[in-house]
Amino acid sequence: MTLTLRDIDRHNLDAVCELPLPDEQQRHLSPNVWSIAESHYHDEFQPRGIYRGEEPVGFIMWVHLSPSRTSIWRFMIAEPHQRQGIGRTALKLALDTIARDPAVREIEICYSPKNLPAKQLYASEGFIEIGLDEDGDEMHARITLSRTSDTDSSGSPNG
C-alpha cells in the first residue's frame, strides 16, 4: 500500500471535503471543509489529503504552535478505508514530515479519552499522555523528539 500526503488545492478540494465518517465518529471531528477554510487564514495550519495511490482516503492537519512545537489538530480516515492500517501508515508519514523541521522538538495530539482505538494507535507511535485539558474532555499526548544537534560531537549539551 503506497500512501502519500498531498497539499489541498482546487483539484482535490471537493474529494477531500466529501470523505465520509461513520455517524458515531462525526461528533468527535470538525468537518474537513472547516479545517481547510481555517488553513487559508492561518499560515501555520498545514492541511494534507491522505492518498492511497490516486484515491483520497483521509485528511490530516497539523499546526505549528511555535518553532519547536507542532500539534496534530485533525486526523481522519474515511469510513470505507478504516481498519486497513491506513491510519497508522498515514500517522507515521505525518510524523516523519513534521520531524524534518529541525526546530521541532515536540509533536502533540489530542483525542477523546473514550476513543480507545485512537489512544492505542497514538501510544504505539510513541505519544505519551500528559493529561486532560482543563475541561476534562480531551486527552493531550506528546512525542518529544531527540535531536543530534542537541549535543556536540563529544556528547555534551550545546549551550
Side-chain angles (χ1 to χ4, degrees):
M1 161 178 41
T2 301
L3 286 185
T4 57
L5 302 180
R6 297 186 188 176
D7 289 337
I8 308 297
D9 60 25
R10 65 185 175 96
H11 302 290
N12 63 359
L13 174 66
D14 290 342
V16 172
C17 288
E18 294 170 1
L19 291 169
L21 279 174
D23 291 340
E24 66 274 7
Q25 292 177 4
Q26 288 181 21
R27 63 189 157 107
H28 296 294
L29 294 170
S30 296
N32 294 347
V33 67
W34 178 254
S35 300
I36 294 165
E38 285 180 309
S39 74
H40 282 276
Y41 297 98
H42 302 278
D43 291 339
E44 64 275 13
F45 289 29
Q46 302 296 311
R48 301 288 189 277
I50 300 167
Y51 278 74
R52 179 169 53 189
E54 293 303 312
E55 180 182 15
V57 296
F59 175 77
I60 192 163
M61 183 173 77
W62 57 86
V63 177
H64 299 297
L65 300 174
S66 74
S68 64
R69 198 167 116 218
T70 296
S71 184
I72 298 171
W73 279 14
R74 307 286 192 272
F75 182 40
M76 65 82 71
I77 302 300
E79 183 174 23
H81 304 284
Q82 293 182 4
R83 290 176 281 292
Q84 297 176 26
I86 292 171
R88 179 175 306 282
T89 303
L91 181 60
K92 286 178 183 181
L93 279 172
L95 293 173
D96 289 347
T97 301
I98 295 165
R100 281 189 209 124
D101 181 338
V104 174
R105 297 289 188 263
E106 296 176 340
I107 303 172
E108 299 176 345
I109 200 160
C110 298
Y111 53 92
S112 167
K114 296 176 184 173
N115 187 342
L116 295 180
K119 175 181 177 153
Q120 292 168 347
L121 171 63
Y122 302 144
S124 74
E125 293 305 318
F127 283 94
I128 309 247
E129 291 183 342
I130 56 174
L132 292 170
D133 66 5
E134 59 190 40
D135 297 326
D137 295 331
E138 291 197 336
M139 177 60 68
H140 290 255
R142 175 182 302 143
I143 291 175
T144 302
L145 302 174
S146 59
R147 299 291 188 175
T148 56
S149 62
D150 291 341
T151 58
D152 65 22
S153 61
S154 68
S156 301
N158 290 331

